[in-house]
Amino acid sequence: MTTVDTDPVTQADAAANIAAAGLADRVDLKIADGGQFLADLPDDSVDLLFLDAERTEYPRWWPHPLRVIRPGGLLVADNATSHPDEIAPLAKLLADAPNCYSTLVPVGSGELVAVLDR
Ligand SMILES: C[S@@+](CC[C@H](N)C(=O)[O-])C[C@H]1O[C@@H](n2cnc3c(N)ncnc32)[C@H](O)[C@@H]1O
């Protein structure tokens, strides 16, 4: 698993939590812009992409969030019910994307879940 955040303090907290869970050898922590990180990934290289960053930035990251997901892979975006107006542009992009099927899972802050069937 790779986790990306622009904030070194957040990544240090995450590193401590991951180590406490005994998962330090399984997680690669990057300090980087999520949009640029995705843009630099190859096609079809991600099994599961979980978006929990600055929600209004997601449309500017397009098409990379979907381009990088492998066939059968998942995109999950947090805060779909807590911040529906901010997630709506991403939901529209997913709804319009070919071979992409999305739904809202109303747990916690709301998860927008999309599966790529290409
Ligand atoms: C709601 S917090 C979630 C943090 C973490 N996922 C968690 O659950 O604890 C949003 C995070 O997105 C990060 N962030 C904001 N814009 C970003 C960007 N362009 N690329 C990567 N991370 C970003 C912030 O630094 C912040 O830590």
Side-chain angles (χ1 to χ4, degrees):
M1 185 175 101
T2 302
T3 178
V4 179
D5 202 295
T6 47
D7 181 6
V9 175
T10 299
Q11 284 300 58
D13 287 347
N17 291 334
I18 289 162
L23 297 171
D25 60 337
R26 299 197 182 195
V27 183
D28 186 11
L29 294 109
K30 307 275 191 201
I31 297 171
D33 174 70
Q36 188 59 54
F37 186 83
L38 290 172
D40 291 341
L41 288 179
D43 292 356
D44 303 342
S45 58
V46 173
D47 298 316
L48 168 64
L49 176 64
F50 180 65
L51 296 177
D52 188 22
E54 193 60 51
R55 294 169 290 278
T56 53
E57 290 185 25
Y58 301 159
R60 286 198 293 277
W61 296 359
W62 210 255
H64 306 297
L66 211 51
R67 177 187 62 76
V68 301
I69 295 175
R70 67 161 171 81
L74 289 177
L75 183 155
V76 181
D78 197 19
N79 301 110
T81 54
S82 64
H83 296 77
D85 293 348
E86 294 180 4
I87 289 292
L90 175 68
K92 173 87 166 71
L93 286 164
L94 292 168
D96 292 345
N99 307 316
C100 181
Y101 303 90
S102 53
T103 191
L104 174 66
V105 180
V107 295
S109 302
E111 308 306 317
L112 176 62
V113 178
V115 63
L116 199 53
D117 184 25
R118 65 169 182 234

